[in-house]
Amino acid sequence: FEMQARQSPKATALVWGGGTLNYAELDQWADYLARSLVDSGADRNQIVAVAMERSPEMVAALLAVNKSGAAFLPLDPDAPLARLACILRDSEAVALMIQPEIQGRFTGLHAATLVVDPEPKFGTPLLEQSPAQPEDLAYVLFTSGSTGRPKGVMLEHAALSRRLAWISKTYDVVPADRSGQCTQITFDPALIELFLPLINGASVALPPPGRLSPNSLGPFAQKHGVTIMALVPSTVRGLLDSLTDQSGLMLRVACCGGEVLPAELANRFIETTGARLFNVYGPTETAIFTTAWACSPQPSNATLPVGRALDESRIYILDD
């Protein structure tokens, strides 16, 4: 991302209903926030929690955490406070980043709370910081766990880097591309939507904050010229149902995971959009997904494969 900011500082990085932000602005904003995080104790293999709604400042915050050397822990700001307190305690997060509008609700939740103003503030690079190493933590995601108790899954920079490299190559990502950031950041497909464009000089389109109706996805993708999406079967259906026509739809590639993808739905997606669709599989522990299959038209009652292992990954078939 920093390399792209140096090479194309004026290129658009973020677009949303209220404006745009270029690479230089986003990079400098993240630098400004990173300095505050370092003052709060952020460093390599430390964890910083981010409880923020979808917004430009959310993107700047996630980048800032990694710039500080730390790993980001995305939290749902609407989750019960008791659950959030449990996660903050278990993760030993050194800081918590929030937005002004939820400051009152989060009072006392963490001693080092950084309120991120939606107005960008610009800083200078953190030259004194040691850059994170491949084996260092990049992010932590808390899942429900098999017992129902939240379980923190820790992923390293090397794993995230390998996954984004495979997707970049397979999707043929170029600066003209634009992702739609439609997944909650507590789920790892959001990392495709956020970071895949930003490491390739492309841009991210941000819908309004809050839960998105699947039936809003078609008009959103058309309005912002979205070319890349990360979907689940329900959002694939919502996207297709909300397209009154294909005018303005620039979508060219998407992945679908999380649940079984019905063949009839994959067929409909390919026929309606003309875009490539990958059926993907993999638990959170394996960095977003581990296998992928490029969908092709199949009988409507077919069971779709989940594909082969991605670069530098292996899968093990344990039983029937």
Side-chain angles (χ1 to χ4, degrees):
F1 166 71
E2 290 175 344
M3 181 187 73
Q4 297 294 347
R6 289 193 300 270
Q7 291 179 349
S8 306
K10 300 299 183 184
T12 299
L14 303 179
V15 300
W16 65 97
T20 65
L21 209 63
N22 66 35
Y23 269 81
E25 292 166 336
L26 181 57
D27 188 41
Q28 291 169 23
W29 193 3
D31 281 330
Y32 173 86
L33 295 173
R35 285 187 173 276
S36 298
L37 289 173
V38 170
D39 292 341
S40 297
D43 203 346
R44 289 172 55 189
N45 287 317
Q46 300 286 352
I47 293 171
V48 173
V50 179
M52 301 174 75
E53 293 278 10
R54 185 186 300 105
S55 59
E57 58 266 31
M58 179 198 78
V59 183
L62 295 176
L63 292 169
V65 175
N66 278 167
K67 279 176 175 284
S68 75
F72 57 83
L73 164 58
L75 300 176
D76 179 358
D78 295 324
L81 289 178
R83 175 182 169 86
L84 295 177
C86 175
I87 291 174
L88 288 170
R89 183 173 59 251
D90 284 359
S91 67
E92 300 181 349
V94 297
L96 169 64
M97 304 180 82
I98 63 172
Q99 291 157 306
E101 53 266 33
I102 61 173
Q103 187 172 2
R105 181 172 184 257
F106 279 62
T107 299
L109 200 60
H110 196 287
T113 298
L114 176 63
V115 181
V116 181
D117 195 278
E119 188 66 29
K121 293 181 173 63
F122 302 131
T124 53
L126 286 159
L127 298 177
E128 69 276 14
Q129 279 300 105
S130 301
Q133 299 301 305
E135 66 274 11
D136 289 346
L137 284 183
Y139 64 95
V140 177
L141 293 179
F142 269 76
T143 68
S144 61
S146 57
T147 63
R149 175 179 170 81
K151 176 184 66 171
V153 176
M154 303 183 293
L155 274 297
E156 301 160 345
H157 280 278
L160 179 59
S161 178
R162 282 196 298 266
R163 191 63 70 246
L164 292 176
W166 183 90
I167 302 172
S168 296
K169 176 186 69 175
T170 306
Y171 285 16
D172 298 317
V173 182
V174 297
D177 278 312
R178 176 168 291 168
S179 74
Q181 205 289 291
C182 301
T183 306
Q184 285 181 266
I185 61 166
T186 51
F187 299 101
D188 53 5
L191 304 182
I192 302 174
E193 302 165 334
L194 287 164
F195 296 142
L196 182 68
L198 294 179
I199 65 171
N200 287 290
S203 57
V204 182
L206 299 169
R211 301 289 195 273
L212 295 178
S213 164
N215 288 329
S216 69
L217 297 183
F220 166 75
Q222 288 172 309
K223 176 182 178 181
H224 290 288
V226 169
T227 62
I228 296 171
M229 299 187 81
L231 303 165
V232 296
S234 62
T235 53
V236 171
R237 199 174 299 279
L239 170 72
L240 298 176
D241 288 347
S242 61
L243 289 172
T244 54
D245 59 59
Q246 279 68 57
S247 62
L249 185 67
M250 300 176 66
L251 186 63
R252 65 175 191 83
V253 60
C255 62
C256 184
E259 304 164 12
V260 173
L261 175 62
E264 56 84 15
L265 187 57
N267 292 344
R268 184 182 165 203
F269 177 92
I270 295 168
E271 181 179 352
T272 301
T273 67
R276 290 193 293 163
L277 180 65
F278 289 88
N279 189 32
V280 298
Y281 168 78
T284 304
E285 287 83 351
T286 63
I288 310 175
F289 55 79
T290 316
T291 72
W293 181 72
C295 295
S296 59
Q298 302 292 316
S300 59
N301 61 349
T303 299
L304 300 185
V306 293
R308 297 181 179 275
L310 309 186
D311 292 352
E312 300 182 72
S313 298
R314 291 186 181 135
I315 55 174
Y316 294 84
I317 311 302
L318 300 181
D319 53 31
D320 288 345

